[in-house]
Amino acid sequence: LESLRDELCETSDGFHLPLWVNTGLMADVARSLDQGAEGVGLYRTEVPFLLRERFPSEEEQRQIYRSQLEAFSPKPVTMRTLDVGGDKSLPYFPIEEENPFLGWRGIRVTLDHPEILLVQTRAMIKASEGLDNLRIMLPMISNVSELDEAVEFISRAYREVLDEGSDVKMPPIGVMVEVPAAVYQASELAKRADFLSVGSNDLTQYLLAVDRNNARVADLYHAFHPAVLQALKQVVDAGHAEGKQVSICGELAGDPAAAPLLLAMGFDALSMNATNLTKIKKAMRAMSQAEAQSLLAEVMELHSSAAIHEHLEQFMLERGLKGFIHAPLD
Ligand code: PEP
Ligand code: MG
């Protein structure tokens, strides 16, 4: 795997699929760059917020974001606006709810507190001055008005930064597709946004009604569930029909067994933890686009996660990728 660090991610027939990384800490940056990441598909901005005792100021945020943007420049860095709530709560901004995953989280919090969104996006935009490699991404979008409203705030942040004398470009704005409603509205969202990125961790949890952190139902959390795969395919098709780029940044993107399916569905980039980059490159080298496409066609005909898992296992075994597939499902 080491030898693949500086190689591009290519199929055996030479198709290049960009691999991006998910970051949060500065420590992730060095690790990502020396594994050949081609950009950041998800920078979880809540991480620096979690490491503090109060909300970081605009200038503190600007400096943190600047380091990420600079480290990867000229490669793209996709910064997600604050995604708190659910399982992530800030000690200085506690959110207590009976049902937090269906509650006040992600974009819902920041639209109710536009000052947080404005300060954060102003800091991001200022940080991108002279680099222009920033992309902004919105978490937990479940309807088009949330997107419209967020775009309005970001445009206002942009105008303010320009008025204050910065010379920056308006960053592309993307939507995370991680709520089933966003799958069904992927076309409408894609019309209004610059890109889509699937958050398969939450999307799996919400499609299957399985809490991603509850050990008792962990055996029902199947990212290879036929419903999840149908949803992924639908999002790619909808995004592409509007001429927009579609990437994926959940854990599934870093799973070598998912690689042929995501490739065949047409995802434009896969974003994962740095540790998985070389594994995905290795898996991708072992297959051609045509092989991945026939595998996807076969898998889409199967009706259970177990059958899909078995089929993927066979595909991986035939390509000498035995250690790359998780244990079979119960
Ligand atoms: C996801 O939901 O897939 C995702 C990438 O976001 P997070 O894991 O931070 O919720
Ligand atoms: Mg998520």
Side-chain angles (χ1 to χ4, degrees):
L1 292 178
E2 274 289 291
S3 66
L4 294 174
R5 279 182 12 181
D6 299 325
E7 302 292 324
L8 284 178
C9 174
E10 283 182 343
T11 57
S12 60
D13 53 330
F15 176 79
H16 168 219
L17 180 60
L19 300 191
W20 291 346
V21 272
N22 297 347
T23 61
L25 299 164
M26 259 329 269
D28 298 326
V29 171
R31 209 168 350 138
S32 311
L33 286 168
D34 69 35
Q35 305 285 321
E38 293 179 64
V40 176
L42 166 64
Y43 169 56
R44 290 185 165 100
T45 58
E46 52 281 0
V47 176
F49 280 70
L50 282 163
L51 299 175
R52 280 180 171 67
E53 271 139 36
R54 52 168 180 79
F55 277 105
S57 68
E58 181 176 314
E59 177 53 20
E60 282 170 326
Q61 291 188 50
R62 189 195 65 80
Q63 289 176 18
I64 300 167
Y65 303 153
R66 179 81 187 174
S67 331
Q68 288 275 330
L69 293 164
E70 250 169 11
F72 281 89
S73 167
K75 301 183 176 95
V77 175
T78 313
M79 298 198 164
R80 177 171 74 183
T81 60
L82 193 65
D83 186 21
V84 291
D87 57 338
K88 287 172 285 194
S89 113
L90 303 171
Y92 48 89
F93 189 73
I95 301 172
E96 281 177 27
E97 294 176 320
E98 292 252 325
N99 213 341
F101 274 122
L102 299 184
W104 203 46
R105 60 169 304 212
I107 197 72
R108 299 170 183 181
V109 175
T110 50
L111 286 180
D112 285 346
H113 279 280
E115 72 284 2
I116 300 179
L117 186 59
L118 278 170
V119 166
Q120 184 172 41
T121 51
R122 280 171 50 94
M124 288 175 178
I125 296 168
K126 276 188 180 172
S128 72
E129 188 164 13
L131 302 171
D132 292 327
N133 57 340
L134 167 69
R135 300 170 7 124
I136 296 181
M137 181 159 86
L138 307 166
M140 285 296 293
I141 294 283
S142 62
N143 60 61
V144 291
S145 344
E146 287 169 337
L147 171 58
D148 292 344
E149 225 185 303
V151 169
E152 234 166 81
F153 281 121
I154 300 171
S155 309
R156 179 171 142 195
Y158 176 66
R159 283 193 308 272
E160 288 176 4
V161 170
L162 284 189
D163 288 348
E164 289 164 25
S166 294
D167 178 19
V168 278
K169 275 208 316 226
M170 176 72 183
I173 301 174
V175 168
M176 281 195 79
V177 178
E178 46 185 355
V179 174
V183 173
Y184 290 102
Q185 286 212 291
S187 302
E188 289 73 20
L189 293 167
K191 279 192 183 84
R192 296 165 147 85
D194 297 307
F195 63 92
L196 301 179
S197 181
V198 177
S200 55
N201 305 336
D202 276 313
L203 186 57
T204 305
Q205 130 165 303
Y206 291 124
L207 276 174
L208 307 182
V210 176
D211 179 341
R212 61 194 257 192
N213 298 322
N214 181 344
R216 220 183 241 168
V217 289
D219 60 344
L220 288 172
Y221 187 94
H222 298 158
F224 292 124
H225 189 293
V228 175
L229 298 182
Q230 299 271 2
L232 297 179
K233 178 84 179 70
Q234 213 170 306
V235 175
V236 176
D237 291 346
H240 286 176
E242 298 303 329
K244 303 294 164 68
Q245 190 195 50
V246 187
S247 54
I248 172 165
C249 60
E251 290 300 310
L252 191 64
D255 181 340
L261 303 181
L262 302 176
L263 164 74
M265 285 176 190
F267 278 98
D268 299 296
L270 313 181
S271 190
M272 63 200 68
N273 294 335
T275 44
N276 292 324
L277 289 166
T278 51
K279 278 188 233 164
I280 298 295
K281 289 185 199 177
K282 166 113 177 152
M284 217 61 98
R285 268 159 200 264
M287 68 190 76
S288 66
Q289 287 180 92
E291 287 169 331
Q293 253 131 26
S294 354
L295 178 76
L296 178 65
E298 290 154 15
V299 159
M300 291 308 242
E301 295 295 315
L302 300 174
H303 302 302
S304 77
S305 315
I308 292 173
H309 190 276
E310 208 174 292
H311 206 72
L312 293 177
E313 189 170 32
Q314 196 51 40
F315 181 86
M316 301 298 272
L317 284 178
E318 283 163 11
R319 282 157 187 79
L321 299 167
K322 187 164 186 280
F324 282 59
I325 180 132
H326 301 306
L329 303 170
D330 296 335

